[in-house]
């Protein structure tokens, strides 16, 4: 006979229990906030704008994209090793000069040069499923759904490529996305940007343009971000919210009475989030810079 002992479920580890408790608390808190907000009448002039990296999704979306493309042999480790080091040095030390910034901008999306828009969109769908879908913060997703349920439109606003931003928005059932636009000719990427990265002040300009076109009253709108760099966007709206904020944004939010929602688990996770954001950005920038250098060499 089979011993009953073999059928007994193994006790959960303390770390697993803590993680389950954290997720349960996160879901409950988000649900309570949603239920309260749903009693507010719909306002056609209001909308919500969400940053993506570390706000909607854990980590940097362009990092997940670059890693997925690397696995599909878009480039090699050797191509990016030196560039990653340089990017990490500048980002972590906080030392940047105009020449470095210009180089970063010019090479930001060069790793897709020569590939087609259709190819990137198809692979982006695959990469979302394998690397991004499970990284969506449930609490942030619940907040976005709250706005949709109130009859509001919801846009993602991110420095990530517009193709990836649009995939994320579509998979989450959102209205749309605004992201960095890469130049393409006859459906083939040139490796150059149209304008600049959608970052910092550029996000605010994009939102103002959209609001004018869609008849939105920004004082009735909400914006969500994790980064102090998004103050131009957050400062535009009547309801700015700090999600998983970096230390500077957390301090600013508290000083100005903004809502703060942190879906990370514990202080260790918060510290890791700050460092991983810098490293992910370094890798993403390094990927672009490395491939750009390789193409110039060839």
């Amino acid at each position: 006979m089979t011993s009953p002992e073999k059928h007994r479920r193994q006790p959960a580890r303390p770390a697993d229990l803590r993680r389950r408790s954290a997720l349960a608390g996160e879901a409950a808190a988000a649900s309570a906030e949603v239920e309260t907000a749903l009693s507010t009448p719909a306002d056609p002039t209001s909308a919500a704008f969400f940053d993506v990296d570390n706000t909607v999704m854990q980590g940097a979306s362009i990092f997940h994209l670059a890693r997925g493309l690397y696995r599909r042999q878009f480039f090699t480790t050797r191509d990016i090793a030196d560039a990653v080091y340089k990017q990490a040095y500048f980002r972590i030390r906080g030392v940047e000069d105009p020449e470095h910034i210009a180089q970063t901008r010019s090479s930001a999306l060069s790793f897709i040069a020569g590939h087609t828009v259709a190819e990137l969109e198809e692979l982006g769908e695959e990469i979302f499923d394998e690397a991004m879908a499970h990284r969506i913060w449930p609490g942030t997703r619940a907040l976005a759904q709250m706005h949709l349920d109130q009859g509001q439109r919801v846009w993602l606003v991110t420095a990530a490529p517009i193709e990836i931003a649009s995939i994320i928005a579509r998979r989450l059932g959102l209205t749309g996305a605004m992201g960095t636009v890469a130049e393409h000719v006859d459906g083939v990427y040139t490796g150059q940007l149209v304008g600049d990265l959608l970052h910092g002040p550029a996000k605010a300009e994009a939102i103002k343009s959209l609001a004018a076109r869609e008849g939105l009253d920004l004082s009735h709108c909400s914006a969500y971000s994790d980064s102090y760099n998004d103050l131009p966007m957050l400062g535009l709206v009547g309801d700015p919210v700090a999600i998983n904020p970096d230390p500077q944004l957390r301090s600013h939010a508290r000083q100005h009475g903004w809502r703060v929602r942190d879906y990370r688990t514990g202080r260790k996770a918060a510290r890791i989030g700050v460092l991983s954001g810098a490293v992910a950005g370094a890798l993403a920038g390094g990927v672009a810079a490395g491939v750009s250098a390789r193409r110039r060499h060839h």
Side-chain angles (χ1 to χ4, degrees), residues 28-99:
S31 296
E33 186 168 18
V34 168
E35 288 297 325
T36 299
L38 287 179
S39 61
T40 304
D43 179 358
T45 67
S46 63
F49 304 97
F50 285 79
D51 171 50
V52 172
D53 298 343
N54 293 315
T55 302
V56 170
M57 175 189 302
Q58 182 180 3
S61 53
I62 196 169
F63 167 75
H64 300 309
L65 171 65
R67 186 172 61 177
L69 294 177
Y70 165 72
R71 289 174 174 172
R72 289 160 175 81
Q73 300 182 340
F74 269 56
F75 39 75
T76 68
T77 303
R78 184 175 181 179
D79 291 330
I80 67 172
D82 182 59
V84 167
Y85 168 77
K86 291 177 181 177
Q87 290 280 333
Y89 175 82
F90 281 111
R91 286 177 178 269
I92 296 174
R93 290 290 301 273
V95 180
E96 294 188 345
D97 58 44
E99 182 179 356

Side-chain angles (χ1 to χ4, degrees), residues 197-216:
L197 293 171
L198 195 67
H199 176 77
K203 287 187 177 182
E205 292 302 317
I207 289 174
K208 286 191 287 186
S209 178
L210 180 70
R213 189 184 75 207
E214 300 291 333
L216 301 175

Side-chain angles (χ1 to χ4, degrees), residues 18-19 21 65 82-83 140 170 210 232 291 297:
R18 287 195 297 271
R19 177 59 178 161
S21 295
L65 171 65
D82 182 59
T140 309
R170 185 171 63 256
L210 180 70
V291 176
H297 174 74

